[in-house]
Structure formats: structure tokens, C-alpha cells
Amino acid sequence: MSRSVSYRISPAEMERRRKLYLARIKENTVGFINRFQKMYDKMLSEGLDRYAPNELNEIRILLLQTRNAMDKDVEKAQNISRNIGQKISQIRSLAVTVKKKIEFEEKEKRTKLLA
């Protein structure tokens, strides 16, 4: 028969593990936020804010919320970051589609005016 050995983790060890866990979350979240910020900045530099202004403003606000939560509640920051990750590529796709549609319509109008 095997005897089960039960280990009791001390409160100090639990606290140490929790701090390591939170440090890993913070490090990963900072990396994601930096990447999302670059994606957001690129969309602005491409002028996509003209085609999806509300959505890009939402991303800007979420980036700020994540940074503000980082020192107070890293798990909350991680959750906000995940939300940004889901939204940012959808918004990029939406803005590019709208931009192409508007450019096509403008080209059609110019063609008709010249004809």
C-alpha cells in the first residue's frame, strides 16, 4: 500500500509563489501591450482612424486602462489586454475594408465626372 504524503505549503511560500505568478503575468502583459501599441500607432499612421474613429478610440482607451491597471491589479490588466488582442485585428480589417470601399466609390465618381 502506498501512503499518500500530504505537504502543507506555508503562507510565506504561498505568497512567494503568488508574487512570481504576478510577475510573469506583468512581464507577458507588458509585451502584449507594447505590441498592441505599435499596431495601434501603425493604424493611425496609415490614416485608418478616418475610417473607424470610434473603434480606434476604444483601443486607445483600453490601452490606457491596461497601463493604469498594471501596477494596481496585474490580473485585471491581463484581462483588458486580452480584450484588446481580440479587437485590434478585427478593427484593422474593418477600417481597411471601409477605406477600400470609399476609395473605390470616389474613383467611380471621378470616372463618371470625366466621362
Side-chain angles (χ1 to χ4, degrees), residues 3-95:
R3 292 196 290 177
S4 88
V5 179
S6 135
Y7 294 101
R8 185 166 141 70
I9 299 174
S10 71
E13 177 61 16
M14 287 174 61
E15 179 65 21
R16 185 188 77 76
R17 290 180 184 187
R18 174 101 176 125
K19 285 181 181 179
L20 289 172
Y21 165 76
L22 293 175
R24 279 193 309 275
I25 288 177
K26 186 172 185 174
E27 182 181 339
N28 290 336
T29 302
V30 165
F32 280 113
I33 290 306
N34 290 337
R35 191 173 95 218
F36 296 148
Q37 183 67 54
K38 287 178 185 173
M39 293 168 75
Y40 172 80
D41 292 343
K42 185 174 185 208
M43 286 191 280
L44 291 181
S45 72
E46 293 172 357
L48 296 180
D49 54 321
R50 289 181 287 176
Y51 306 100
N54 295 336
E55 292 82 358
L56 281 167
N57 189 51
E58 181 183 356
I59 294 296
R60 183 186 61 78
I61 290 168
L62 289 170
L63 287 166
L64 288 171
Q65 287 175 347
T66 305
R67 286 194 176 91
N68 289 337
M70 195 67 72
D71 292 326
K72 299 173 204 142
D73 185 348
V74 76
E75 290 169 310
K76 180 179 178 182
Q78 179 187 44
N79 288 333
I80 298 169
S81 169
R82 286 181 179 148
N83 193 12
I84 296 169
Q86 292 171 351
K87 290 180 182 240
I88 202 160
S89 60
Q90 293 171 344
I91 290 171
R92 175 178 247 312
S93 177
L94 169 71

Side-chain angles (χ1 to χ4, degrees), residues 102-115:
I102 289 172
E103 288 173 347
F104 176 78
E105 289 170 356
E106 289 173 351
K107 183 179 177 187
E108 290 288 308
K109 284 179 187 177
R110 279 193 302 273
T111 303
K112 286 180 183 178
L113 287 174
L114 292 173

